[in-house]
Amino acid sequence: MSKIAWMKYLLPALLLTTTAFAAGTADVKVGTGVEKYEVVGASDTFTVAPNTRIYAATKLSGVEPGTVTVVWSKDGKEVSKTELKVPRATYRTHAYRTFRAGDTGAWTAKVVGADGTELASSSFQVTVSS
């Protein structure tokens, strides 16, 4: 097989690999704290006192250095955003939200890349007790 014929097959595979790498992947877990870059107290349901933080710990790989945003949504409506710096392609980071009276409901923490692509999300239920 000639070098040109061989390149016809290799080039599309390289382009697909490069595109997949640029998109990146993420894993996000929510919990009551973060220790050594890992979430602690992970759950999909939380009963908390007012003014309690819930953390979204994110493990990123294959992302472009820059920023990602954690979008906090309650009952399907965006409530707040936390922008996080990402200095390298593989990185662990976290954001938190303080839950207050009136924050009881179905929540989602969604990690979004700088280009607006959703990288990961985690849904959970919060009950704020008085």
Coordinates of all heavy atoms in Angstrom, one line a residue, residues 27-119:
D27 N -16.9 14.1 35.4 CA -17.7 13.4 36.4 C -18.0 14.4 37.5 O -17.1 15.0 38.0 CB -16.9 12.2 36.9 CG -17.8 11.3 37.8 OD1 -19.0 11.2 37.6 OD2 -17.2 10.9 38.9
V28 N -19.3 14.5 37.9 CA -19.6 15.4 39.0 C -20.4 14.6 40.0 O -21.3 13.8 39.7 CB -20.4 16.6 38.5 CG1 -21.7 16.3 37.8 CG2 -20.6 17.6 39.7
K29 N -20.1 14.8 41.3 CA -20.8 14.1 42.4 C -21.1 15.2 43.4 O -20.3 16.1 43.6 CB -20.0 13.0 43.1 CG -19.7 11.9 42.1 CD -18.8 10.8 42.8 CE -18.5 9.7 41.9 NZ -17.6 8.7 42.4
V30 N -22.3 15.1 44.1 CA -22.6 16.1 45.1 C -22.6 15.5 46.5 O -22.9 14.3 46.6 CB -24.0 16.7 44.8 CG1 -24.0 17.6 43.6 CG2 -25.1 15.7 44.7
G31 N -22.2 16.3 47.5 CA -22.1 15.8 48.8 C -22.0 16.9 49.8 O -22.1 18.1 49.4
T32 N -21.7 16.6 51.1 CA -21.7 17.6 52.1 C -20.3 18.2 52.4 O -20.1 19.1 53.2 CB -22.2 17.0 53.4 OG1 -21.4 15.8 53.7 CG2 -23.7 16.6 53.3
G33 N -19.3 17.7 51.7 CA -18.0 18.2 51.8 C -17.0 17.7 50.7 O -17.4 16.9 49.9
V34 N -15.8 18.2 50.7 CA -14.7 17.8 49.8 C -13.5 17.6 50.7 O -13.1 18.5 51.4 CB -14.5 18.8 48.7 CG1 -13.3 18.3 47.8 CG2 -15.7 19.0 47.8
E35 N -12.9 16.4 50.6 CA -11.6 16.1 51.2 C -10.7 15.5 50.3 O -11.0 14.5 49.6 CB -11.8 15.2 52.5 CG -12.6 15.9 53.6 CD -12.8 14.9 54.8 OE1 -12.2 13.8 54.8 OE2 -13.7 15.3 55.6
K36 N -9.5 16.0 50.1 CA -8.4 15.5 49.2 C -9.0 15.3 47.8 O -8.9 14.3 47.2 CB -7.9 14.2 49.7 CG -7.1 14.3 51.0 CD -6.5 13.0 51.5 CE -5.8 13.2 52.8 NZ -5.3 11.9 53.3
Y37 N -9.8 16.4 47.4 CA -10.3 16.5 46.0 C -11.4 15.4 45.8 O -11.8 15.2 44.6 CB -9.3 16.4 45.0 CG -8.2 17.5 45.1 CD1 -7.0 17.2 45.6 CD2 -8.5 18.8 44.7 CE1 -6.0 18.2 45.8 CE2 -7.6 19.8 44.9 CZ -6.4 19.5 45.4 OH -5.4 20.5 45.5
E38 N -11.9 14.7 46.8 CA -13.0 13.8 46.6 C -14.2 14.3 47.5 O -14.0 14.8 48.6 CB -12.6 12.4 47.1 CG -11.5 11.7 46.3 CD -12.0 11.3 44.9 OE1 -13.2 11.0 44.8 OE2 -11.1 11.1 44.1
V39 N -15.4 14.1 46.9 CA -16.6 14.4 47.7 C -16.8 13.5 48.8 O -16.5 12.3 48.7 CB -17.8 14.5 46.7 CG1 -18.3 13.1 46.3 CG2 -19.0 15.2 47.3
V40 N -17.3 14.0 49.9 CA -17.7 13.2 51.1 C -19.2 13.5 51.4 O -19.7 14.5 51.0 CB -16.8 13.5 52.4 CG1 -15.4 13.1 52.1 CG2 -16.9 14.9 52.8
G41 N -19.8 12.5 52.0 CA -21.3 12.6 52.2 C -22.1 12.6 51.0 O -23.1 13.3 50.9
A42 N -21.6 11.9 49.9 CA -22.3 11.9 48.7 C -23.7 11.2 48.8 O -23.9 10.3 49.6 CB -21.5 11.1 47.6
S43 N -24.7 11.8 48.1 CA -26.0 11.2 48.2 C -26.9 11.9 47.1 O -26.4 12.8 46.4 CB -26.7 11.6 49.5 OG -28.0 11.0 49.6
D44 N -28.1 11.3 46.9 CA -29.0 12.0 45.9 C -30.2 12.6 46.7 O -31.0 13.2 46.1 CB -29.4 11.0 44.8 CG -30.1 9.8 45.4 OD1 -30.3 9.7 46.6 OD2 -30.5 9.0 44.6
T45 N -30.1 12.5 48.0 CA -31.1 13.2 48.9 C -30.4 13.8 50.1 O -29.6 13.1 50.7 CB -32.3 12.3 49.3 OG1 -31.7 11.2 50.1 CG2 -33.1 11.7 48.2
F46 N -30.8 15.0 50.4 CA -30.2 15.7 51.5 C -31.2 16.4 52.4 O -32.1 17.0 51.8 CB -29.2 16.8 51.1 CG -28.0 16.3 50.3 CD1 -28.1 16.2 48.9 CD2 -26.9 15.9 50.9 CE1 -27.1 15.8 48.1 CE2 -25.8 15.4 50.1 CZ -25.9 15.3 48.8
T47 N -31.2 16.2 53.7 CA -32.0 17.0 54.6 C -31.0 17.8 55.4 O -30.2 17.2 56.1 CB -32.8 16.0 55.5 OG1 -33.7 15.3 54.7 CG2 -33.7 16.9 56.5
V48 N -31.1 19.1 55.2 CA -30.1 20.0 55.8 C -30.7 21.1 56.6 O -31.8 21.5 56.4 CB -29.1 20.6 54.7 CG1 -28.4 19.5 54.0 CG2 -29.9 21.4 53.7
A49 N -29.9 21.7 57.5 CA -30.3 22.9 58.2 C -30.1 24.1 57.3 O -29.3 24.0 56.4 CB -29.5 23.0 59.5
P50 N -30.8 25.2 57.5 CA -30.5 26.4 56.8 C -29.1 26.8 56.8 O -28.4 26.6 57.9 CB -31.4 27.5 57.4 CG -32.5 26.7 58.1 CD -31.9 25.4 58.5
N51 N -28.6 27.4 55.8 CA -27.2 27.9 55.7 C -26.2 26.7 55.6 O -25.0 26.9 56.1 CB -26.8 28.8 56.8 CG -27.7 30.1 56.7 OD1 -27.9 30.6 55.6 ND2 -28.2 30.5 57.8
T52 N -26.6 25.6 55.1 CA -25.7 24.4 54.9 C -25.2 24.4 53.4 O -26.0 24.6 52.5 CB -26.4 23.1 55.2 OG1 -26.8 23.1 56.6 CG2 -25.5 21.9 54.9
R53 N -23.9 24.1 53.3 CA -23.3 24.0 51.9 C -23.5 22.6 51.4 O -23.3 21.6 52.1 CB -21.8 24.4 52.0 CG -21.6 25.8 52.2 CD -20.1 26.0 52.3 NE -19.8 27.4 52.5 CZ -18.6 27.9 52.6 NH1 -17.5 27.1 52.5 NH2 -18.4 29.2 52.8
I54 N -23.7 22.5 50.1 CA -23.7 21.2 49.4 C -22.7 21.5 48.2 O -22.8 22.5 47.5 CB -25.1 20.8 48.8 CG1 -26.0 20.5 50.0 CG2 -24.9 19.6 47.9 CD1 -27.4 20.0 49.7
Y55 N -21.8 20.5 48.1 CA -20.7 20.7 47.2 C -20.9 19.8 45.9 O -21.4 18.7 46.0 CB -19.4 20.2 47.8 CG -18.9 21.1 48.9 CD1 -19.5 21.0 50.2 CD2 -17.9 22.1 48.7 CE1 -19.1 21.8 51.3 CE2 -17.5 22.9 49.8 CZ -18.1 22.8 51.0 OH -17.7 23.6 52.1
A56 N -20.4 20.4 44.8 CA -20.3 19.6 43.5 C -18.9 19.4 43.2 O -18.2 20.4 42.8 CB -21.0 20.4 42.4
A57 N -18.4 18.2 43.4 CA -17.0 17.9 43.1 C -16.9 17.3 41.7 O -17.6 16.4 41.3 CB -16.4 16.9 44.1
T58 N -15.9 17.9 40.9 CA -15.8 17.6 39.5 C -14.4 17.0 39.2 O -13.4 17.6 39.6 CB -16.1 18.8 38.6 OG1 -17.4 19.3 39.0 CG2 -16.1 18.5 37.2
K59 N -14.4 15.9 38.4 CA -13.2 15.4 37.9 C -13.2 15.6 36.4 O -14.1 15.0 35.7 CB -13.0 13.9 38.3 CG -11.7 13.3 37.9 CD -11.7 11.8 38.1 CE -12.0 11.4 39.5 NZ -11.8 9.9 39.7
L60 N -12.3 16.4 35.9 CA -12.3 16.7 34.4 C -11.1 16.0 33.8 O -10.0 15.8 34.4 CB -12.1 18.2 34.2 CG -13.2 19.1 34.9 CD1 -12.6 20.5 35.1 CD2 -14.4 19.1 34.1
S61 N -11.3 15.5 32.5 CA -10.2 15.0 31.8 C -10.4 15.3 30.3 O -11.5 15.2 29.8 CB -10.0 13.5 32.0 OG -11.2 12.8 31.6
G62 N -9.3 15.6 29.6 CA -9.4 15.9 28.2 C -10.0 17.2 27.9 O -10.5 17.4 26.8
V63 N -10.1 18.1 28.8 CA -10.7 19.4 28.5 C -9.6 20.5 28.2 O -8.5 20.3 28.6 CB -11.5 20.0 29.7 CG1 -12.7 19.0 30.0 CG2 -10.7 20.2 30.9
E64 N -10.0 21.5 27.4 CA -9.1 22.6 27.1 C -8.9 23.4 28.4 O -9.9 23.7 29.1 CB -9.7 23.4 26.0 CG -9.7 22.7 24.7 CD -8.4 22.5 24.1 OE1 -7.5 23.3 24.3 OE2 -8.2 21.4 23.4
P65 N -7.7 23.8 28.7 CA -7.5 24.7 29.9 C -8.2 26.0 29.7 O -8.4 26.4 28.5 CB -5.9 24.9 29.9 CG -5.4 23.7 29.2 CD -6.4 23.3 28.2
G66 N -8.8 26.5 30.7 CA -9.6 27.7 30.6 C -10.6 27.7 31.8 O -10.1 27.8 33.0
T67 N -11.8 27.6 31.5 CA -12.8 27.6 32.6 C -13.9 26.6 32.3 O -14.2 26.2 31.1 CB -13.5 28.9 32.8 OG1 -14.2 29.3 31.6 CG2 -12.5 30.0 33.2
V68 N -14.6 26.1 33.4 CA -15.9 25.4 33.3 C -16.8 26.1 34.2 O -16.4 26.9 35.1 CB -15.8 23.9 33.6 CG1 -14.9 23.2 32.6 CG2 -15.3 23.7 35.1
T69 N -18.1 25.9 34.1 CA -19.1 26.5 34.9 C -20.0 25.5 35.5 O -20.4 24.6 34.8 CB -19.9 27.5 34.1 OG1 -19.1 28.5 33.5 CG2 -20.9 28.2 35.0
V70 N -20.2 25.6 36.8 CA -21.2 24.7 37.5 C -22.5 25.5 37.5 O -22.5 26.6 38.1 CB -20.8 24.3 38.9 CG1 -21.9 23.5 39.6 CG2 -19.5 23.5 38.9
V71 N -23.5 25.0 36.9 CA -24.8 25.6 36.9 C -25.7 24.9 37.8 O -26.0 23.7 37.7 CB -25.4 25.6 35.4 CG1 -26.8 26.3 35.4 CG2 -24.5 26.2 34.4
W72 N -26.3 25.7 38.8 CA -27.2 25.1 39.8 C -28.6 25.4 39.4 O -28.9 26.6 39.2 CB -26.9 25.8 41.2 CG -25.5 25.5 41.7 CD1 -24.4 26.3 41.5 CD2 -25.0 24.4 42.5 NE1 -23.3 25.8 42.1 CE2 -23.6 24.6 42.8 CE3 -25.7 23.3 43.1 CZ2 -22.9 23.8 43.5 CZ3 -24.9 22.5 43.9 CH2 -23.5 22.7 44.1
S73 N -29.4 24.4 39.3 CA -30.8 24.6 38.9 C -31.7 23.9 39.9 O -31.5 22.8 40.4 CB -31.1 24.0 37.5 OG -30.3 24.5 36.6
K74 N -32.9 24.6 40.2 CA -33.9 24.1 41.1 C -35.2 23.9 40.3 O -35.6 24.9 39.7 CB -34.1 25.0 42.3 CG -35.2 24.6 43.2 CD -35.5 25.6 44.3 CE -36.7 25.2 45.1 NZ -37.3 26.4 45.8
D75 N -35.7 22.7 40.4 CA -37.0 22.4 39.7 C -36.9 22.8 38.3 O -37.9 23.4 37.7 CB -38.2 23.1 40.5 CG -38.3 22.6 41.9 OD1 -38.1 21.4 42.1 OD2 -38.7 23.4 42.8
G76 N -35.8 22.6 37.6 CA -35.6 22.9 36.2 C -35.3 24.4 35.8 O -35.1 24.7 34.7
K77 N -35.2 25.2 36.8 CA -34.9 26.6 36.5 C -33.5 27.0 37.1 O -33.2 26.7 38.3 CB -35.9 27.6 37.2 CG -37.3 27.4 36.6 CD -38.3 28.4 37.2 CE -39.7 28.1 36.6 NZ -40.6 29.0 37.2
E78 N -32.7 27.6 36.2 CA -31.3 28.0 36.7 C -31.4 29.0 37.8 O -32.2 30.0 37.8 CB -30.6 28.6 35.5 CG -29.2 29.0 35.8 CD -28.5 29.6 34.6 OE1 -28.5 28.9 33.5 OE2 -27.9 30.7 34.7
V79 N -30.6 28.7 38.9 CA -30.6 29.6 40.1 C -29.3 30.4 40.2 O -29.3 31.6 40.5 CB -30.9 28.7 41.3 CG1 -30.7 29.6 42.6 CG2 -32.2 28.1 41.3
S80 N -28.2 29.7 39.9 CA -26.9 30.4 40.0 C -25.9 29.6 39.2 O -26.1 28.5 38.8 CB -26.5 30.5 41.5 OG -26.3 29.2 42.1
K81 N -24.7 30.3 39.1 CA -23.6 29.7 38.3 C -22.3 30.0 39.1 O -22.2 31.0 39.8 CB -23.4 30.4 37.0 CG -24.5 30.2 36.0 CD -24.2 30.9 34.7 CE -25.3 30.7 33.7 NZ -25.0 31.4 32.4
T82 N -21.4 29.0 39.0 CA -20.1 29.2 39.6 C -19.0 28.9 38.6 O -19.0 27.8 38.1 CB -19.9 28.3 40.8 OG1 -20.9 28.4 41.8 CG2 -18.6 28.5 41.5
E83 N -18.2 29.9 38.2 CA -17.2 29.7 37.2 C -15.9 29.2 37.9 O -15.5 29.8 38.9 CB -16.9 30.9 36.4 CG -16.0 30.7 35.2 CD -15.8 31.9 34.3 OE1 -16.6 32.1 33.4 OE2 -14.9 32.7 34.6
L84 N -15.3 28.2 37.3 CA -14.1 27.6 37.9 C -13.0 27.6 36.9 O -13.2 27.2 35.7 CB -14.4 26.1 38.4 CG -15.5 26.0 39.3 CD1 -15.9 24.5 39.5 CD2 -15.2 26.6 40.7
K85 N -11.8 27.9 37.3 CA -10.6 27.9 36.5 C -10.1 26.4 36.3 O -10.1 25.7 37.3 CB -9.5 28.7 37.0 CG -9.8 30.2 37.0 CD -8.6 31.0 37.5 CE -9.0 32.5 37.4 NZ -7.9 33.4 37.9
V86 N -9.7 26.1 35.1 CA -9.1 24.8 34.8 C -7.8 25.0 34.1 O -7.7 25.3 32.9 CB -10.1 24.0 33.8 CG1 -9.5 22.6 33.5 CG2 -11.5 23.9 34.4
P87 N -6.7 24.8 34.9 CA -5.4 25.2 34.3 C -4.7 24.1 33.5 O -3.8 24.3 32.8 CB -4.5 25.4 35.6 CG -5.2 24.5 36.6 CD -6.7 24.6 36.3
R88 N -5.3 22.9 33.5 CA -4.7 21.8 32.7 C -5.8 20.8 32.3 O -6.9 20.8 32.8 CB -3.6 21.1 33.4 CG -3.9 20.5 34.7 CD -2.7 20.0 35.5 NE -2.9 19.8 36.9 CZ -2.9 20.8 37.8 NH1 -2.6 22.0 37.5 NH2 -3.2 20.5 39.1
A89 N -5.5 19.9 31.3 CA -6.5 19.0 30.7 C -7.1 18.0 31.7 O -8.3 17.7 31.6 CB -5.9 18.3 29.6
T90 N -6.4 17.6 32.7 CA -6.9 16.7 33.7 C -6.9 17.5 35.0 O -5.8 17.9 35.4 CB -6.1 15.4 33.8 OG1 -6.1 14.7 32.5 CG2 -6.6 14.5 34.9
Y91 N -8.0 17.6 35.7 CA -8.1 18.5 36.8 C -9.3 18.1 37.7 O -10.3 17.7 37.2 CB -8.2 20.0 36.3 CG -7.9 21.0 37.4 CD1 -6.7 21.2 37.9 CD2 -8.9 21.8 37.8 CE1 -6.4 22.1 38.9 CE2 -8.7 22.8 38.8 CZ -7.4 23.0 39.3 OH -7.2 23.9 40.2
R92 N -9.1 18.3 39.0 CA -10.2 18.2 39.9 C -10.5 19.5 40.6 O -9.6 20.2 41.0 CB -9.9 17.2 41.0 CG -9.7 15.8 40.5 CD -9.4 14.8 41.6 NE -9.0 13.6 41.1 CZ -9.4 12.4 41.6 NH1 -10.2 12.4 42.7 NH2 -9.1 11.3 41.1
T93 N -11.8 19.9 40.7 CA -12.2 21.1 41.3 C -13.5 21.0 41.9 O -14.2 19.9 41.8 CB -12.1 22.3 40.3 OG1 -12.3 23.5 40.9 CG2 -13.1 22.1 39.1
H94 N -14.0 22.0 42.6 CA -15.3 21.9 43.2 C -16.0 23.3 43.4 O -15.3 24.3 43.3 CB -15.3 21.2 44.5 CG -14.6 21.9 45.6 ND1 -13.2 21.8 45.8 CD2 -15.0 22.8 46.5 CE1 -12.8 22.5 46.8 NE2 -13.9 23.2 47.2
A95 N -17.3 23.2 43.5 CA -18.0 24.5 43.8 C -19.0 24.1 44.8 O -19.3 22.9 45.1 CB -18.8 24.9 42.5
Y96 N -19.6 25.1 45.5 CA -20.6 24.8 46.5 C -21.7 25.8 46.4 O -21.5 26.9 45.8 CB -20.0 24.8 47.9 CG -19.6 26.1 48.4 CD1 -20.5 27.0 49.0 CD2 -18.2 26.5 48.3 CE1 -20.0 28.3 49.5 CE2 -17.8 27.7 48.8 CZ -18.7 28.6 49.3 OH -18.3 29.8 49.8
R97 N -22.8 25.5 46.9 CA -24.0 26.4 47.1 C -24.5 26.3 48.5 O -24.6 25.2 49.1 CB -25.1 26.0 46.1 CG -26.2 27.0 46.1 CD -27.2 26.8 45.0 NE -28.0 28.0 44.8 CZ -28.9 28.5 45.7 NH1 -29.0 27.9 46.9 NH2 -29.6 29.6 45.4
T98 N -24.8 27.4 49.1 CA -25.4 27.5 50.4 C -26.9 27.4 50.3 O -27.5 28.2 49.7 CB -24.9 28.7 51.2 OG1 -23.5 28.8 51.2 CG2 -25.5 28.7 52.6
F99 N -27.5 26.4 51.0 CA -28.9 26.2 50.9 C -29.6 26.8 52.1 O -29.2 26.7 53.2 CB -29.2 24.7 50.8 CG -28.9 24.1 49.5 CD1 -27.6 23.8 49.1 CD2 -29.9 23.9 48.5 CE1 -27.2 23.3 47.9 CE2 -29.6 23.5 47.3 CZ -28.2 23.2 46.9
R100 N -30.6 27.6 51.8 CA -31.3 28.4 52.8 C -32.8 28.0 52.8 O -33.2 27.2 52.0 CB -31.2 29.9 52.5 CG -29.8 30.3 52.6 CD -29.6 31.8 52.2 NE -28.3 32.3 52.5 CZ -27.2 32.1 51.8 NH1 -27.3 31.4 50.7 NH2 -26.1 32.7 52.2
A101 N -33.5 28.5 53.8 CA -35.0 28.3 53.8 C -35.6 28.6 52.4 O -35.2 29.6 51.8 CB -35.6 29.1 54.9
G102 N -36.5 27.8 51.9 CA -37.1 28.1 50.6 C -36.3 27.4 49.5 O -36.8 27.4 48.4
D103 N -35.2 26.7 49.8 CA -34.5 26.0 48.8 C -34.8 24.5 48.6 O -34.2 23.8 47.9 CB -33.0 26.1 49.0 CG -32.4 27.5 48.6 OD1 -33.1 28.2 47.8 OD2 -31.3 27.8 49.1
T104 N -35.9 24.1 49.4 CA -36.3 22.7 49.2 C -36.8 22.4 47.8 O -37.5 23.2 47.3 CB -37.5 22.4 50.3 OG1 -36.9 22.5 51.6 CG2 -38.1 21.0 50.1
G105 N -36.4 21.3 47.2 CA -36.8 21.0 45.9 C -35.9 20.0 45.2 O -34.9 19.5 45.8
A106 N -36.1 19.8 43.9 CA -35.3 19.0 43.1 C -34.2 19.9 42.4 O -34.5 20.8 41.8 CB -36.1 18.3 42.0
W107 N -32.9 19.5 42.6 CA -31.8 20.3 42.2 C -31.0 19.5 41.2 O -30.9 18.3 41.2 CB -30.9 20.7 43.4 CG -31.5 21.7 44.2 CD1 -32.5 21.6 45.2 CD2 -31.2 23.1 44.1 NE1 -32.8 22.8 45.7 CE2 -32.0 23.8 45.1 CE3 -30.4 23.9 43.3 CZ2 -32.0 25.2 45.2 CZ3 -30.3 25.2 43.5 CH2 -31.2 25.9 44.4
T108 N -30.2 20.3 40.4 CA -29.2 19.7 39.5 C -28.0 20.6 39.5 O -28.1 21.8 39.4 CB -29.8 19.6 38.0 OG1 -31.0 18.9 38.0 CG2 -28.8 19.0 37.1
A109 N -26.8 19.9 39.6 CA -25.5 20.6 39.4 C -25.0 20.1 38.1 O -24.7 18.9 37.9 CB -24.6 20.3 40.5
K110 N -24.9 21.1 37.1 CA -24.5 20.7 35.8 C -23.1 21.4 35.5 O -23.0 22.6 35.7 CB -25.5 21.2 34.8 CG -25.2 20.9 33.3 CD -26.4 21.2 32.4 CE -27.0 22.5 32.6 NZ -28.0 22.8 31.5
V111 N -22.1 20.6 35.0 CA -20.8 21.2 34.6 C -20.9 21.5 33.1 O -21.2 20.6 32.3 CB -19.7 20.2 34.9 CG1 -18.4 20.8 34.5 CG2 -19.7 19.9 36.4
V112 N -20.6 22.7 32.7 CA -20.6 23.2 31.4 C -19.3 23.7 30.9 O -18.6 24.5 31.7 CB -21.7 24.3 31.2 CG1 -21.8 24.8 29.8 CG2 -23.1 23.8 31.7
G113 N -18.8 23.3 29.8 CA -17.5 23.7 29.2 C -17.6 25.2 28.8 O -18.7 25.8 28.7
A114 N -16.4 25.7 28.5 CA -16.4 27.1 28.0 C -17.2 27.4 26.8 O -17.7 28.5 26.5 CB -14.9 27.5 27.8
D115 N -17.4 26.3 25.9 CA -18.1 26.5 24.7 C -19.6 26.2 24.9 O -20.4 26.2 23.9 CB -17.6 25.5 23.6 CG -17.7 24.0 24.0 OD1 -18.2 23.7 25.1 OD2 -17.4 23.2 23.2
G116 N -20.0 26.0 26.1 CA -21.5 25.8 26.4 C -21.9 24.3 26.4 O -23.1 24.0 26.7
T117 N -21.0 23.4 26.1 CA -21.3 22.0 26.1 C -21.4 21.4 27.5 O -20.6 21.6 28.3 CB -20.2 21.2 25.3 OG1 -20.0 21.8 24.0 CG2 -20.5 19.7 25.2
E118 N -22.5 20.7 27.7 CA -22.7 20.0 29.0 C -21.7 18.9 29.1 O -21.7 18.0 28.2 CB -24.1 19.5 29.2 CG -24.3 18.9 30.5 CD -25.8 18.4 30.8 OE1 -26.7 19.0 30.3 OE2 -25.9 17.4 31.5
L119 N -20.9 18.8 30.1 CA -19.9 17.8 30.3 C -20.4 16.7 31.3 O -20.0 15.6 31.2 CB -18.6 18.4 30.8 CG -17.9 19.4 29.9 CD1 -16.7 20.0 30.6 CD2 -17.6 18.8 28.6

